[in-house]
């Protein structure tokens, strides 16, 4: 236990490394945190998915294993603006320094270890800076103090890794203290900038200079630098050197509080060296019958070992302790292993993860369903097991039974968390008995918002499986939330324009105008001038697009980008499921004939083929705008239309091979024919 217990110190000081993620979209299940973290930590687990943070997955495992938490764990607090950084900013202001031009960042993407994002500048760095500034105010001249602050700003500019920043070398006429400070600041800048070889050399030189006020902490930072060479660059020799350096600090009577930190870092390195024993120790604490207040640290340390490169080999072993094995299996989607462990243990925990990853095509599905039926309604696994059991039954071809069960669940859905309701609604939509029934269950409430919108699966059906007539029906349906209906009306109208369906355009025109009155005059184009004016309207508004998307309340008129040519959706491969709808429900769903008939799906396919043929916004708009511009040079709207066409290429689809041709043609005509027009002045470049 001793080796494990000191892992927290190393965890805090060396910083946790974790992969960087991107591609944010609205989600209908919690991604990192449960919807109600407090309830979750009391055993009300709701719907468990692999998107949860590792600490929460470990808590879920504990409850599924039949254990409880007899302590109240506070939910992880969101990270506000770091108060220590705020104190540093106040210290700068108190010394008369100008306000920082930008916010300070603590985290950086490592250039030494691919796709790792970590906290670079820790609290102690800002505390030390603030304390040093308070001391130097009484010792420095005004110019010296300004120079020190400028140098420290250069040090902290490295924290987020946006660009290397080094303080200037100390002038020859600086006092000894100021020169010592500057040498330390330069070494620190190299440290935060991940130039670790230079940082180690400079810290060693400072540590050897007994006249420097920084010689003790510099000796400690030699060890910190070596530790980063190990944790970021994988230099195992640096780990041994770091251990030796920290042992020296730990036994140095003048090192003060650094001695405790050094001892903790030695234990941290011991934990890595004896990684198997560390995992066993952590596993025992994770499964302790009566955990104490230190359990929060146990969770943090367990997360560390599952993420850190230094534990990767041990974690990947097949005989890893069960809590870690369970989390690994949950996240990796290893259904075969989950089923094997469930058959061997008959435990609720392994049944749950086996069901989460099971498919209706699996041989084990009937056995899993039989076991799922034995789970009590008050079990922590009840929601997850029940949801996935219904999903499996639908995949096996059942409809009436799952529909009746979902109707009962949805009748009391307001007693359940939003994420659970979203999951049930997604399942119910898949067994809809009519298009109206489909629309009834299509809306969900994203966890980022309080208002329902159409989710990915329903959007996919409307985009690719529903003919324009059905989309128009959806726009007018009271089942569709007002916001989604407003956005869907724009999509339906744009699609009708491209397909030249004038009847649909006339039907949609008042619906679009109701929420977007600025478009009223150009919603029923015929030919000639009307078609030009409508094309200009589309060039002014990027949200006019033939394909709907899932989004929150983005302001209308935003020019984030015009559409690319339509493409058939990539049908999800087996095992590839997106959790934005509900876990293990693929976006590309099989639409019941009662919802959209085979004939309607055939018509939809023809319409999608036509949209694919028409291509991107610039492909559609360029012929209309350029032809009108050449035939009607005196039209006062032509300069704006040419400017807009260049802008559509710049902010629209970048995949088009004719982008340069389209942009340059509009640019040349604008500059040649209208050299003094204000729209020409706003168009200094053309784009590829």
């Amino acid at each position: 236990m001793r080796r494990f217990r000191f892992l927290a110190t190393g965890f805090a000081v060396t910083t946790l490394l974790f992969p960087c993620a991107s591609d944010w979209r609205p989600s209908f299940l919690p991604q990192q945190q449960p919807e109600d973290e407090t309830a979750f930590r009391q055993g009300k687990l709701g719907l468990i998915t692999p998107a949860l943070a590792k600490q929460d997955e470990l808590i879920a495992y504990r409850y599924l294993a039949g254990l409880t938490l007899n302590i109240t764990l506070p939910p992880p607090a969101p990270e506000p603006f770091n108060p220590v950084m705020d104190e540093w900013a106040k210290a700068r202001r108190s010394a008369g320094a100008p306000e920082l031009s930008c916010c300070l960042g603590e985290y950086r993407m490592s250039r030494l270890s691919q796709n790792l994002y970590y906290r670079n500048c820790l609290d102690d760095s800002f505390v030390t800076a603030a304390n040093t500034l308070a001391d130097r105010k009484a010792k420095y001249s005004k110019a010296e103090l300004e120079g020190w602050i400028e140098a420290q700003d250069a040090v902290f500019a490295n924290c987020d890794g946006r660009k290397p920043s080094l303080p200037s070398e100390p002038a020859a006429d600086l006092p000894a203290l100021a020169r010592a400070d500057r040498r330390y600041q330069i070494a620190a800048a190299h440290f935060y900038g991940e130039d670790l070889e230079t940082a180690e050399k400079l810290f060693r030189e400072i540590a050897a200079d007994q006249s420097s006020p920084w010689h003790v902490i510099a000796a400690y930072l030699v060890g910190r630098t070596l530790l980063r060479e190990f944790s970021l660059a994988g230099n195992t020799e640096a780990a041994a050197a770091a251990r030796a350096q920290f042992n020296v600090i730990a036994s140095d009577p003048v090192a003060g509080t650094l001695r405790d930190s050094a001892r903790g870092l030695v234990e941290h390195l011991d934990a890595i060296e004896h990684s198997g024993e560390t995992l066993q120790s952590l596993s025992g604490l994770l499964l302790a019958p009566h955990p104490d207040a230190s359990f929060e640290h146990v969770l943090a340390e367990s997360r560390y070992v599952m993420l850190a490169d230094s534990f990767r080999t041990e974690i990947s072993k097949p005989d890893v302790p069960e809590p870690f094995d369970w989390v690994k299996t949950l996240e990796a989607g290893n259904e075969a292993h989950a089923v094997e462990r469930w058959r061997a243990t008959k435990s609720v925990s392994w049944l749950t993860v086996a069901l989460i990853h099971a498919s209706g095509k699996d041989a084990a599905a009937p056995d899993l369903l039989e076991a799922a039926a034995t789970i009590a309604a008050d079990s922590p696994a009840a929601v997850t097991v029940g949801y996935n059991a219904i999903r499996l039954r639908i995949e096996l071809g059942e409809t009436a039974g799952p529909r009746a069960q979902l109707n009962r669940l949805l009748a009391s859905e307001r007693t359940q968390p939003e994420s659970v309701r979203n999951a049930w609604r997604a399942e119910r939509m898949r067994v809809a008995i009519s298009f109206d029934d489909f629309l009834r269950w299509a809306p969900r409430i994203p966890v980022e918002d309080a208002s329902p919108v159409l989710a990915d699966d329903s959007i996919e059906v409307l985009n690719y499986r529903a003919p324009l007539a059905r989309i128009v029906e959806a726009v007018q349906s009271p089942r569709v939330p007002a916001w989604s209906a407003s956005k869907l009306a724009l999509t339906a109208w744009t699609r009708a324009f491209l397909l030249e369906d004038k009847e649909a355009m006339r039907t949609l025109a008042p619906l679009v105008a109701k929420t977007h009155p600025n478009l009223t005059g150009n919603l029923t184009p015929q030919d000639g001038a009307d078609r030009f004016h409508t094309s200009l309207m589309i060039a002014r508004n990027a949200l006019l697009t033939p394909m709907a998307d899932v989004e929150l309340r983005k302001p209308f008129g935003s020019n984030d980008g015009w559409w690319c040519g339509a493409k058939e959706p990539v049908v999800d491969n087996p095992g590839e499921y997106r959790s934005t709808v509900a876990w293990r429900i693929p976006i590309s769903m099989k639409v019941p004939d009662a919802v959209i008939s085979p004939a309607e799906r055939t018509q939809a396919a023809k319409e999608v083929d036509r949209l694919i043929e028409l291509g991107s916004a610039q492909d559609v708009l360029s012929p209309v705008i350029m032809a009108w511009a050449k035939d009607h040079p005196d039209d006062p709207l032509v300069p704006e239309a040419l400017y807009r066409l260049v802008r559509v290429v710049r902010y629209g689809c970048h995949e088009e091979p004719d982008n340069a041709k389209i942009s340059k043609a509009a640019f040349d005509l604008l500059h040649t024919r209208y050299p003094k027009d204000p729209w020409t002045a706003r168009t200094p470049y053309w784009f590829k």
Side-chain angles (χ1 to χ4, degrees):
M1 294 297 181
R2 173 179 166 80
R3 179 178 297 112
F4 153 72
R5 289 179 63 82
F6 281 93
L7 190 58
T9 303
F11 169 72
V13 176
T14 59
T15 77
L16 178 63
L17 309 179
F18 52 94
C20 179
S22 58
D23 193 24
W24 180 89
R25 290 176 60 82
S27 56
F28 302 91
L29 292 181
Q31 292 300 290
Q32 286 294 313
Q33 284 184 254
E35 193 170 351
D36 186 340
E37 183 83 44
T38 300
F40 185 90
R41 290 177 171 228
Q42 293 172 350
K44 299 174 182 177
L45 302 181
L47 190 60
I48 302 166
T49 81
L52 290 173
K54 285 180 167 56
Q55 292 101 313
D56 289 318
E57 291 172 351
L58 288 167
I59 290 173
Y61 172 77
R62 183 181 172 87
Y63 277 108
L64 294 175
L67 298 168
T68 61
L69 285 173
N70 58 340
I71 56 171
T72 301
L73 289 178
E79 289 193 27
F81 180 74
N82 191 323
V84 176
M85 293 171 64
D86 197 24
E87 289 303 314
W88 160 240
K90 290 178 182 177
R92 288 181 76 265
R93 288 194 295 271
S94 71
E99 290 289 338
L100 291 166
S101 59
C102 184
C103 53
L104 290 173
E106 303 165 86
Y107 294 84
R108 72 171 290 155
M109 174 72 76
S110 175
R111 64 178 180 81
L112 300 176
S113 190
Q114 188 177 13
N115 294 329
L116 288 178
Y117 189 66
Y118 69 101
R119 190 178 180 197
N120 188 17
C121 295
L122 304 182
D123 289 353
D124 59 355
S125 60
F126 297 105
V127 171
T128 299
N131 291 340
T132 304
L133 178 55
D135 179 79
R136 300 307 190 257
K137 283 166 63 176
K139 297 177 180 178
Y140 278 172
S141 68
K142 183 175 183 294
E144 291 165 353
L145 190 64
E146 290 175 351
W148 184 93
I149 293 172
E150 181 181 350
Q152 194 61 40
D153 287 344
V155 173
F156 287 148
N158 293 281
C159 293
D160 58 15
R162 282 180 289 184
K163 61 179 180 179
S165 176
L166 290 175
S168 61
E169 291 290 330
D173 59 349
L174 274 180
L177 177 61
R179 290 179 61 80
D181 282 353
R182 185 63 57 83
R183 290 177 64 200
Y184 178 78
Q185 289 172 318
I186 292 171
H190 283 286
F191 176 75
Y192 293 128
E194 290 190 348
D195 181 5
L196 301 179
E197 183 178 351
T198 302
E200 180 190 346
K201 175 179 177 294
L202 295 177
F203 282 137
R204 286 191 184 279
E205 291 174 357
I206 296 169
D209 182 1
Q210 296 296 312
S211 68
S212 172
W214 302 101
H215 74 275
V216 174
I217 193 172
Y220 169 77
L221 287 168
V222 169
R224 285 274 303 276
T225 305
L226 289 165
L227 189 54
R228 284 203 172 183
E229 288 183 28
F230 170 57
S231 60
L232 291 176
N235 184 346
T236 55
E237 293 181 0
R243 184 198 306 277
Q245 187 70 15
F246 289 134
N247 278 326
V248 170
I249 300 298
S251 61
D252 186 349
V254 301
T257 58
L258 294 176
R259 297 175 67 186
D260 290 338
S261 181
R263 291 189 190 102
L265 289 168
V266 170
E267 296 292 346
H268 171 72
L269 288 165
D270 286 344
I272 294 172
E273 183 177 350
H274 303 279
S275 54
E277 295 175 42
T278 299
L279 291 185
Q280 290 292 344
S281 175
L282 281 170
S283 177
L285 291 164
L286 287 168
L287 299 177
H290 305 290
D292 57 25
S294 68
F295 193 72
E296 192 71 45
H297 296 290
V298 175
L299 292 172
E301 290 149 0
S302 298
R303 176 178 184 261
Y304 178 90
V305 301
M306 286 188 284
L307 288 169
D309 284 346
S310 48
F311 283 88
R312 184 170 297 170
T313 299
E314 194 66 36
I315 284 289
S316 65
K317 291 181 178 179
D319 58 347
V320 68
E322 181 153 303
F324 300 109
D325 187 19
W326 189 87
V327 170
K328 275 175 49 185
T329 306
L330 173 67
E331 294 184 349
N334 189 344
E335 183 207 348
H337 180 64
V339 171
E340 178 186 348
R341 295 295 300 136
W342 168 66
R343 292 196 186 281
T345 65
K346 298 300 181 182
S347 65
V348 173
S349 58
W350 285 108
L351 171 64
T352 302
V353 75
L355 279 164
I356 286 172
H357 291 294
S359 163
K361 300 177 181 179
D362 300 332
D367 292 341
L368 293 173
L369 286 172
E370 183 179 351
T374 68
I375 299 300
D378 60 351
S379 167
V383 172
T384 304
V385 168
Y387 164 77
N388 284 287
I390 294 173
R391 174 184 60 78
L392 278 180
R393 289 168 63 196
I394 294 174
E395 290 183 20
L396 288 167
E398 294 185 50
T399 55
R403 185 186 304 118
Q405 185 178 357
L406 287 165
N407 285 343
R408 290 192 296 271
L409 291 169
L410 288 162
S412 58
E413 65 173 343
R414 287 299 165 190
T415 64
Q416 295 293 333
E418 201 69 67
S419 57
V420 175
R421 299 200 295 271
N422 284 337
W424 287 342
R425 292 175 72 87
E427 289 189 316
R428 180 61 178 81
M429 191 184 75
R430 300 179 74 78
V431 291
I433 58 175
S434 67
F435 187 68
D436 180 70
D437 194 37
F438 167 87
L439 294 178
R440 177 182 180 183
W441 306 111
R444 325 276 157 66
I445 296 181
V447 296
E448 304 91 347
D449 201 0
S451 302
V453 295
L454 295 176
D456 297 52
D457 47 3
S458 53
I459 288 291
E460 191 270 347
V461 170
L462 293 172
N463 275 338
Y464 293 102
R465 306 291 174 250
L468 178 59
R470 283 296 193 188
I471 302 175
V472 173
E473 181 181 340
V475 170
Q476 301 175 87
S477 171
R479 304 285 195 192
V480 178
W483 172 256
S484 289
S486 173
K487 298 302 297 294
L488 192 60
L490 295 173
T491 294
W493 180 89
T494 307
R495 185 173 288 207
F497 171 71
L498 296 177
L499 297 174
E500 300 183 13
D501 188 331
K502 296 175 182 177
E503 181 180 350
M505 293 174 73
R506 282 191 291 270
T507 301
L508 291 162
L511 303 176
V512 173
K514 182 178 180 180
T515 52
H516 307 293
N518 59 313
L519 303 180
T520 302
N522 304 109
L523 294 174
T524 54
Q526 303 296 321
D527 299 300
D530 284 344
R531 194 161 183 82
F532 165 72
H533 292 151
T534 302
S535 296
L536 176 56
M537 179 185 70
I538 294 174
R540 288 170 175 164
N541 298 282
L543 293 185
L544 285 164
T545 171
M547 290 290 175
D549 195 8
V550 180
E551 58 186 344
L552 300 184
R553 299 178 180 274
K554 184 166 62 175
F556 178 76
S558 172
N559 286 322
D560 288 344
W562 285 259
W563 73 85
C564 287
K567 295 179 181 178
E568 277 287 352
V570 177
V571 178
D572 295 276
N573 293 323
E576 290 186 2
Y577 294 82
R578 306 180 205 170
S579 59
T580 52
V581 179
W583 179 246
R584 290 290 290 183
I585 286 187
I587 303 302
S588 297
M589 60 175 281
K590 182 180 179 182
V591 184
D593 290 350
V595 173
I596 298 175
S597 70
E600 289 176 316
R601 290 201 293 274
T602 299
Q603 175 62 27
K606 292 179 181 178
E607 293 174 0
V608 171
D609 287 344
R610 177 57 179 157
L611 296 177
I612 293 172
E613 181 183 355
L614 288 170
S616 66
Q618 50 262 52
D619 285 338
V620 171
L621 301 178
S622 176
V624 177
I625 290 175
M626 292 300 293
W628 185 265
K630 291 174 182 177
D631 294 341
H632 301 83
D634 296 330
D635 187 331
L637 290 176
V638 165
E640 180 192 355
L642 295 171
Y643 157 80
R644 297 285 180 188
L645 186 54
V646 172
R647 185 177 176 84
V648 168
V649 171
R650 180 181 182 184
Y651 294 106
C653 185
H654 294 162
E655 302 171 5
E656 293 297 333
D658 291 336
N659 272 350
K661 179 181 176 181
I662 293 170
S663 182
K664 191 173 188 306
F667 175 90
D668 287 345
L669 186 58
L670 178 60
H671 279 262
T672 301
R673 187 178 289 171
Y674 311 100
K676 297 183 180 180
D677 194 276
W679 293 107
T680 306
R682 295 176 63 177
T683 316
Y685 308 107
W686 58 276
F687 302 91
K688 295 182 179 181

